[in-house]
Structure formats: C-alpha cells, structure tokens
Amino acid sequence: MNEREILSNYVYQIVSALVASGVEKVVISPGSRSTPLAYAFASTKELEMHRQVDERAAAFYALGLAKATAKPVVLLCTSGTAAANYYPAIVEAKYARVPLIILTADRPHELREVGAPQTINQVRLYGENVKWSAEFPIPDNAPQTLPFIERHTVRAVNIAITAPFGPVHLNIPFREPLIIDFKEELPKSSYVKSYTNELTPSKQAITEFTHILERTTNGMIIIGELPLGTDTNHLWNFIREVKWPVMIESLSNLRAEVPEDCQVYAISTYDALMKNERFKQNVRPQTVIRFGAQPVSKFLMQFIVQANPQNYIIIDEDPMYRDSTHMSTHFIHALPGEWLGEIGLQHSEAEIEYVQFWKMADLLASDVIEKYSDYADDEGAMVQSLLANIEEEADIFVSSSMPIRDIDTFLLSTNRSVQIFANRGANGIDGVTSTALGFSNGRKMRKTYLLIGDLAFLHDTNAFIASRYQNCDLTVIVMNNDGGGIFSYLPQSKVEAHYEDLFGTPTELTFEQVASMYNMEYEKANTKAELINTLATNKQASLKLIEVFTDREENVKQHRLLWTRINEVIEQWLDSL
C-alpha cells in the first residue's frame, strides 16, 4: 500500500466514525495542512459542509450551528495560529455547554520546535477549556492505527454529547504529500453503536427532594437557560404539580407559548420587582429551586443572597454545578426530564396566597412595561417594537450587554412562538454575528433576527464572509448608540474623568458600507415608527442590516423612569393591602 492510499484510508476512517456517531455538519476554513481531511469531508455526501475563511468567525459559526441543532458540529482548520483563532468560541462552547468537535491539522513531529512555518504547540492547546483532547498518530500502515483513530473519534463525539455537552479537541498531524484518493463510499465502520446513559437522580435524591417540596409553604422556582434539547413539557408538568411562582428567564424559552393553566405561575418581571425593598420583604422564600444557568438578572440573584432560603436546590447536569451566590444547600445531578413527572406529592403545605401575591405584582409591573412605547422612543422601545412586530415562528439571537437585558425586560409571557438565544456561557460580545449566522442556518424552518450593539457588531464584521460561500438568511438589527451603552448604568459613569475614552469608547462609525460590501439590504431607523415600517417590509430579504440610531443618555433616562414607575405602582399596591 502506497503513502497516498494509507493517507486516504486514514482520513476516511475518521470521517466514517464521525458520520456513524451522528455528525451531520462540518465547518471548514481553508489551509494546506488540513487538505486531506478537507477533501474527505467535501467528498462525503452524508455531511453538510459549511465554509468560512476567518477561523475566529468559523468557530463561532459552528457554535451557532450546534446551538440550533443540539447536535455535535465538526470544525476543521490548518496548523499554526489558525487553531489559536478558534479559542474564543471554544471558551464559549465550554461554558455554554455546546458540543463542538475541533479537528486541528498539525505538522508532523519532526517539524515541531525547529522553526518550521505555521507551527505552534497544538498538543492540548485549549487546556481545560475542552472536555477532552487527544493527539492522533501520523498516518501509517500499522494494523493498530485505523482501529485506534476510529475509536478515539467515536470517543470524542460521545464525550462532546454526554451531559454536560461541550467541546473536544483532536490534533491530527500529517506529512506531505497531502493529496488523497476520493472515495464514493465511506469505509464500513467496525465500531457498531454507543449507548449513553440518561442522567437522572437517585431514588434517595428524589425522596429527599419530594420531602422538601411537601413541607415548603413559600417556594419559588428559577428557570435559566436550559441544556440543549430540553423537553420543556417536563418542566411545565412539574410546575403544575408544585404550584409555585416561576421566575422565567427569557433564554429558557418558557416565556413563549405558556400553557393556559400555567399562566398564574409564570413571572417575567422579577428583575424590576426585585428593585423594590418592601416587595422583597414580602416574598422571602423558604425554598428555591433552580433549573438551568444563572439568569441574566443580577437583582434576582442578589435577592437569593439576601433572602437566605432554608433550601436552595440546584438541579444541574454537571457536578461542577453553577452557583455564584454560594448559597445552595442541595445539588441534584440530573437533567430536567421524565423523572420530574415521577414526583407525586402526597400532600402540600404551599400557600396559594404566596403565588397570588407574586402574580398580582407581575401583572402590575407588566402593565407598566406594556405602556412603555407610548411615551419612550429609546432602545427599550425599539426592542419592544421588535418583539411586537416580528412574525410568528421567529428566533431572536441576542448579544450580551444591553440587548439581552432589554429582551429580558420587554419580553413578557406570551402565547406566540418567539424564542430567544444568546452566547451567555462566557457572556462575551465577540463572535455574536457569526454565531447568529450559524444558528440561522441550523434553524432554516424559522426566521432568525440578530439584536446587537454597535461595538459587538464591530467585533465580528468578518462574519459575513460566510455569506459568500453558503446561503444565509438573517436580519441584523444594530442598536448604534456610538459606544458601550452598558457602562452608562454602572458606577464608572459617575466618574467623568476618562469615562468616554475608557468606557463610552465612541467610534463615530455607521454601517451602511458594511452592508454594501456584502450585498446586504440596508435600512436605517431613527424612531420606533421607522423601525416598525422597516420590519414590515422585511419579508423577502434573506440578508438584511437595519441600523437603529439611539442615544446613550436618553436610554439611561428612560430605563430609570420605567423602573421608577414600576416601583411607584408596587408601592401604591402594597399601601392598599
């Protein structure tokens, strides 16, 4: 067997193992050292290939595909700094629990540490930011090589899709020549099937959990961003069983299509309500149960610390469960699933007055929020207009900083099928547009909108290179307030010296030319009326950029007026009790 045949068998064995393990999509950036695998992927009809020349953007694009499909996505690049450019997206995938299979082509061992071009130390390059990392052998004719790489490839996918989901890294060295023989059919896999376990709690945990539920008088549930692929019906059934108020994070996607009989438990205005000290004193819970990631609302988490509940139970699929409050009293290692339906309460001491008190406050705050656009024309009003005027079956991908906070404020419980997604693993503003493009290609049956600030948009304008290689369907709404709007709400804003230079960071840039560069339809809006009109004409465009011009100072002023109005309404209500 000659070197070309050995190399061909080697790379197609990797591809075969990936396909047999359920991989359907691969994102490739061009490069010489990755040629054998790139050819193998491109010639495999079982795979859908996506391309992006910028590795940093490519990694976030793959992240978006994996978030949209809840399935592992392969990411392939050449050697050297190309692999290093994957790092930000890998960090996000680690903390957001998204399954990525990172394949980095590498130089052979004899070219490492000798000054060869495009050569860096790629072994365990991503450190603890991947769930697992392995170095593959150089392709050879040894009988152990193909079984080894086949099983390591299967192992990599299994690790990526075992709770908690996350990225894995395979470093694969190749010697020249790098050309392969194309195969019309993948080699038959000698590995048959993997059976992973369903993550459910022990009987002892369920018994103790049930006991706490039964003896709780005032209990509340917090639902943050949930693991990919979660069946929310199990959560609604659990809510029906316990009949507690539920603080529903916008990223949980339980605020949309709320079942009629669960409306009384659904609370979406908790962030605003947590700004009222009297209200907080009246709703101190005995027990708190949290599913999913920590919510966006800092005020809600501060309330948990202040309330110091007798029981704070976190249900998480990772033994390294998330608890930045350090207040948890119980941890249940499980995914939210069918086991929640096995909890049959024999009796309950829950007070109906507690959930009624929460719901009345939520209705009062919701009423104030619904009227916001009647007088405001700031970013909050723009977001409210977006939520009110997009079509059914729509997704909104949201950037960090103010966009996600405005969504959390203005998305109230609804029977519409609007779903919200974001990169909240590391909460960065890099790679957001690329992630949204990948996400939209993973959910082609629904229209995707991206809501993003001007600085986050500038971080990732290379994202649109992807649109030159595959069809992209995305409407981007950029809130251009010429700088970092989130800092206007922080203590730094009260220190005038150096504030604009270090935190406001105005660029005086607009984005019509960016749209022109990538043949995007461009519209601008200075008022919510203009935004609404632009959205109404957005039904046909596949790639569109809407630039909304706002004022940072006006945004702060109107948001604080909203919080003041809600506080006044709650105070009047409390006085009347």
Side-chain angles (χ1 to χ4, degrees), residues 144-219:
Q144 301 91 342
T145 299
L146 292 186
F148 172 85
I149 64 171
E150 180 182 18
R151 277 151 186 81
H152 263 48
T153 302
V154 171
R155 183 175 288 122
V157 178
N158 285 342
I159 292 171
I161 61 174
T162 299
F165 288 0
V168 296
H169 173 216
L170 299 178
N171 192 58
I172 308 174
F174 295 111
R175 287 194 181 102
E176 295 179 335
L178 302 170
I179 304 302
I180 67 170
D181 295 319
F182 292 115
K183 296 179 183 292
E184 293 186 5
E185 300 292 335
L186 290 174
K188 183 173 176 58
S189 176
S190 63
Y191 187 87
V192 180
K193 182 77 174 176
S194 292
Y195 296 94
T196 55
N197 190 32
E198 187 173 317
L199 190 56
T200 59
S202 66
K203 291 182 179 179
Q204 181 182 0
I206 292 177
T207 299
E208 174 64 11
F209 186 48
T210 304
H211 184 51
I212 292 173
L213 295 176
E214 289 178 340
R215 68 174 184 248
T216 294
T217 53
N218 295 340

Side-chain angles (χ1 to χ4, degrees), residues 197-261:
N197 190 32
E198 187 173 317
L199 190 56
T200 59
S202 66
K203 291 182 179 179
Q204 181 182 0
I206 292 177
T207 299
E208 174 64 11
F209 186 48
T210 304
H211 184 51
I212 292 173
L213 295 176
E214 289 178 340
R215 68 174 184 248
T216 294
T217 53
N218 295 340
M220 59 183 280
I221 301 169
I222 299 172
I223 302 182
E225 184 176 13
L226 295 165
L228 296 178
T230 297
D231 184 346
T232 57
N233 288 319
H234 300 308
L235 286 164
W236 286 123
N237 289 335
F238 176 70
I239 292 164
R240 291 183 181 99
E241 178 79 8
V242 297
K243 298 179 172 59
W244 292 2
V246 188
M247 312 300 113
I248 302 178
E249 159 87 12
S250 56
L251 290 171
S252 72
N253 286 318
L254 269 73
R255 288 193 193 176
E257 298 182 290
V258 179
E260 187 66 31
D261 62 338

Side-chain angles (χ1 to χ4, degrees), residues 53 65 150 169 241 288 348-349 355 435 442 444 468 524 571:
V53 300
L65 275 174
E150 180 182 18
H169 173 216
E241 178 79 8
V288 176
S348 174
E349 297 179 14
V355 68
T435 313
K444 292 179 180 178
R468 316 311 294 169
K524 63 181 178 180
E571 285 290 337

Side-chain angles (χ1 to χ4, degrees), residues 386 389-399 418-421 436-437 439-440 446-452 473-477 531 534-539 541 544 546:
L386 169 66
N389 289 278
I390 59 174
E391 60 267 51
E392 291 281 352
E393 305 293 321
D395 297 326
I396 306 178
F397 205 94
V398 189
S399 182
V418 175
Q419 297 195 334
I420 310 297
F421 301 86
L437 282 167
F439 183 89
S440 67
R446 294 170 65 95
K447 176 67 179 177
T448 302
Y449 293 79
L450 168 62
L451 178 65
I452 190 169
D473 186 356
L474 182 69
T475 296
V476 183
I477 300 169
L531 175 60
T534 300
L535 291 170
T537 61
N538 186 43
K539 308 306 180 187
K544 183 171 183 175
I546 303 173

Side-chain angles (χ1 to χ4, degrees), residues 186-388:
L186 290 174
K188 183 173 176 58
S189 176
S190 63
Y191 187 87
V192 180
K193 182 77 174 176
S194 292
Y195 296 94
T196 55
N197 190 32
E198 187 173 317
L199 190 56
T200 59
S202 66
K203 291 182 179 179
Q204 181 182 0
I206 292 177
T207 299
E208 174 64 11
F209 186 48
T210 304
H211 184 51
I212 292 173
L213 295 176
E214 289 178 340
R215 68 174 184 248
T216 294
T217 53
N218 295 340
M220 59 183 280
I221 301 169
I222 299 172
I223 302 182
E225 184 176 13
L226 295 165
L228 296 178
T230 297
D231 184 346
T232 57
N233 288 319
H234 300 308
L235 286 164
W236 286 123
N237 289 335
F238 176 70
I239 292 164
R240 291 183 181 99
E241 178 79 8
V242 297
K243 298 179 172 59
W244 292 2
V246 188
M247 312 300 113
I248 302 178
E249 159 87 12
S250 56
L251 290 171
S252 72
N253 286 318
L254 269 73
R255 288 193 193 176
E257 298 182 290
V258 179
E260 187 66 31
D261 62 338
C262 292
Q263 290 282 356
V264 66
Y265 311 115
I267 310 296
S268 56
T269 64
Y270 50 83
D271 183 74
L273 295 174
M274 291 296 100
K275 295 177 175 68
N276 185 286
E277 292 299 325
R278 285 179 67 194
F279 178 78
K280 289 193 290 185
Q281 289 298 321
N282 279 277
V283 294
R284 293 169 70 94
Q286 177 188 356
T287 298
V288 176
I289 302 169
R290 201 192 84 207
F291 296 93
Q294 177 172 297
V296 171
S297 173
K298 180 195 295 185
F299 289 97
L300 179 59
M301 303 318 293
Q302 288 174 341
F303 170 66
I304 299 301
V305 175
Q306 295 167 2
N308 191 20
Q310 179 181 335
N311 306 296
Y312 181 22
I313 305 167
I314 294 179
I315 298 169
D316 198 295
E317 70 273 23
D318 191 348
M320 288 290 292
Y321 62 92
R322 297 163 286 193
D323 177 22
S324 64
T325 67
H326 309 294
M327 299 296 293
S328 56
T329 61
H330 298 74
F331 163 62
I332 297 178
H333 188 206
L335 285 162
E338 291 184 7
W339 66 273
L340 288 168
E342 298 172 8
I343 298 173
L345 300 184
Q346 298 302 312
H347 70 277
S348 174
E349 297 179 14
E351 296 179 354
I352 188 64
E353 293 82 4
Y354 185 70
V355 68
Q356 290 174 338
F357 190 87
W358 264 106
K359 192 59 187 179
M360 187 64 208
D362 182 59
L363 291 171
L364 290 170
S366 296
D367 184 62
V368 176
I369 292 170
E370 286 172 348
K371 296 174 181 175
Y372 186 75
S373 294
D374 293 346
Y375 58 85
D377 206 2
D378 69 329
E379 285 184 17
M382 298 293 187
V383 171
Q384 195 169 49
S385 298
L386 169 66
L387 290 167

